[in-house]
Amino acid sequence: MEKWQTKETLMYLLSRLVEHQSITGSYPEVALAEYIHLQLQDLDYFKDNPQMLALHPTSDGRSFVTGLIKNGTAKKTVILISHFDVVDVEDYGQFKNLAFSPYDLTEEVYKNLDKMPLEVQNDLETGEWVFGRGVMDMKAGIALQMSMLEKASSGEFEGNILFLTVPDEEANSLGMIEAVPVLVEMAKQHNLTYTACLNSEPVFTNYPGDQNLYLYSGSIGKLLPGFFCYGQETHVGEPFSGLNANYMAAEVTKELELNADFCEVVDGEVTPPPTNLMQKDLKEGYSVQIPHVGVTLFNVLGMESSIQQITDKLMKAVKTAARRIEHHYLEKATAFSMLQSYVPEPFKVNVLTYEQLHQRAVTLFGEAEIKRRQDYISANFKDLGDRDLSTRMVFDLAALCKDDGPMIILFYNPPFYPAVSSRHDPFIQETIQRVMNYSDEKHNVKLKPQHYFPGLSDLSFVGLERTKETIQPLMSNMPLYGQSYTLPLEALEQLKVPVMNLGPMGRDAHKWTERLELTYSFETLHEMLPYTIKQLLR
Ligand SMILES: [Zn+2]
């Protein structure tokens, strides 16, 4: 009997997946991997070949699932990837306790329709929608891929299907990063040639009201630079003897926030400009000493720029901010000197990369001592989380080099997503054309091709476009690299697989109004996916 081939059974599977409250890092995230593994055991192929279905532990005790369905001696293999973690539900307000019960939450939304945001009301008039955390991002995609695996089990495809579903995509993508060497190993062990990696992340809107259905051939890249501002402490009664880190961070933020110089344009696709994700001083309690250390963190997206190019651009922007800080200080000090006999002395604000700061600290205190200090921090302050832990490590080095201050230090935090795109891959481009024609002719659905999926995805780790040497500027400027964060560079270089993303239709990922349109997702797309896979196996 078929398990997941109708809209109703897919909806049921979706609700079972959503009921596992698999918020990134929570225990149900582990449980859901086991549930998916358990469900797939029912497929005939895995009953006959149980060794082809596996739960793999990650280094931090979570799990990811692989299921390989081989078709005779065929080598061509399509990888289907998905993530089963979701973001938290703090945004649900009074609906929080229903966030993981899609049937009940949907009923509640329909009951209170007049109180819903206008876009939700409009959507509900024209389609069949279901609500719940993860319905769109991306448990519907998992349900569809499980359905494709069931088809493979009954011999639908000429080649092989490798199903992979991972945790932690919404945080650091540890699941996918650790799955990369496993994929490389499986290719050797089972003699597989990966023709493509197909993700089914949902369609994201590019602007409010965007109704396009996108078909992606890549995924946008992301860096998370931090700017550590080391000023100079002083008492509020004598402010011109010091430099306030909150003011320094404010100038850096002013320079970077929404700065269109960082927007890349590729074939009419534009990366959103940088925006701030966190800004704070590191003063722990109130006192009349000015905050002299602070940090500001930015989301920076990219498509074709190298890490080095982005680093250079960031350094240039921060140097501009540094000159402005110096100028502002001198201007204010000069004004103050009119009121009181005092000769203003200009400040020089140094701008360094983390690598330069580290080198300076090693010169002053020796390699062994610096390593000891860094190991100590990373062993004893894990609870801070990756971002604050990185800041702490920079703070320690900056304090050792305090005579070089005031200074601003650029450093990188996890997560990192390399941009990937198969836009120059003729096989993928031809496939996209065929899928577009098919969806138009068969369903009267006009798919729109887009090079880069804008929502960040695990495809980033499947088709590393550049050599591993180009990652060097990231590694040497990331305090946590080699501590709690590493990339399997050798495996990443070996796993160069063309990428595509064709997923369901939803709205408002990461908002409480997250919703999935059922007719397109579980009828139209469900019919189009086998065609797409067959094309990728051709
Ligand atoms: Zn997602």
Side-chain angles (χ1 to χ4, degrees), residues 83 137-138 169-170 201-202 204 453 456 510:
H83 68 85
D137 186 10
M138 63 165 289
E169 193 269 352
E170 301 289 1
E201 288 272 10
F204 272 55
F453 174 70
L456 299 171
H510 299 200

Side-chain angles (χ1 to χ4, degrees), residues 422-435:
S422 296
R423 73 192 192 95
H424 296 303
D425 186 316
F427 173 71
I428 293 292
Q429 290 312 313
E430 171 66 23
T431 305
I432 283 177
Q433 202 50 56
R434 290 183 188 194
V435 172

Side-chain angles (χ1 to χ4, degrees), residues 142-162:
I142 303 177
L144 284 162
Q145 294 200 343
M146 287 171 75
S147 172
M148 294 304 111
L149 202 58
E150 182 180 26
K151 281 187 187 292
S153 172
S154 51
E156 168 110 11
F157 305 112
E158 298 271 303
N160 313 315
I161 303 294
L162 173 51

Side-chain angles (χ1 to χ4, degrees), residues 26-69:
S26 69
Y27 189 73
E29 192 189 18
V30 179
L32 183 51
E34 290 176 16
Y35 176 77
I36 293 170
H37 182 252
L38 211 64
Q39 286 299 310
L40 293 177
Q41 284 177 357
D42 287 349
L43 298 184
D44 289 340
Y45 182 86
F46 294 126
K47 278 186 191 152
D48 299 337
N49 304 277
Q51 76 286 1
M52 302 297 256
L53 179 66
L55 265 174
H56 306 256
T58 61
S59 58
D60 65 355
R62 289 183 267 179
S63 304
F64 60 90
V65 182
T66 58
L68 172 62
I69 293 187

Side-chain angles (χ1 to χ4, degrees), residues 144 148 198 200 502 525-534:
L144 284 162
M148 294 304 111
L198 179 63
S200 289
L502 178 59
L525 179 62
H526 181 253
E527 198 282 329
M528 279 160 23
L529 274 175
Y531 174 84
T532 308
I533 292 170
K534 282 172 192 167

Side-chain angles (χ1 to χ4, degrees), residues 39-201:
Q39 286 299 310
L40 293 177
Q41 284 177 357
D42 287 349
L43 298 184
D44 289 340
Y45 182 86
F46 294 126
K47 278 186 191 152
D48 299 337
N49 304 277
Q51 76 286 1
M52 302 297 256
L53 179 66
L55 265 174
H56 306 256
T58 61
S59 58
D60 65 355
R62 289 183 267 179
S63 304
F64 60 90
V65 182
T66 58
L68 172 62
I69 293 187
K70 283 206 75 176
N71 194 341
T73 53
K75 290 181 77 170
K76 286 188 179 176
T77 307
V78 169
I79 309 170
L80 302 178
I81 66 164
S82 57
H83 68 85
F84 55 80
D85 62 318
V86 293
V87 293
D88 69 30
V89 293
E90 296 309 320
D91 46 354
Y92 276 76
Q94 78 266 36
F95 298 118
K96 193 172 156 185
N97 293 332
L98 294 177
F100 295 105
S101 307
Y103 290 112
D104 297 332
L105 177 62
T106 302
E107 207 178 301
E108 208 53 35
V109 170
Y110 273 92
K111 262 192 230 160
N112 295 285
L113 198 52
D114 51 329
K115 297 187 202 86
M116 293 295 139
L118 208 58
E119 308 83 69
V120 174
Q121 296 190 26
N122 291 341
D123 274 352
L124 295 197
E125 268 171 31
T126 53
E128 190 186 354
W129 296 81
V130 59
F131 290 74
R133 174 55 83 232
V135 290
M136 162 187 182
D137 186 10
M138 63 165 289
K139 289 177 173 175
I142 303 177
L144 284 162
Q145 294 200 343
M146 287 171 75
S147 172
M148 294 304 111
L149 202 58
E150 182 180 26
K151 281 187 187 292
S153 172
S154 51
E156 168 110 11
F157 305 112
E158 298 271 303
N160 313 315
I161 303 294
L162 173 51
F163 171 90
L164 167 68
T165 192
V166 299
D168 199 48
E169 193 269 352
E170 301 289 1
N172 288 348
S173 279
L174 177 92
M176 189 64 208
I177 289 171
E178 295 199 1
V180 167
V182 172
L183 293 181
V184 171
E185 190 46 44
M186 286 178 85
K188 284 184 199 143
Q189 192 190 340
H190 299 284
N191 197 19
L192 311 175
T193 306
Y194 298 134
T195 60
C197 183
L198 179 63
N199 198 347
S200 289
E201 288 272 10

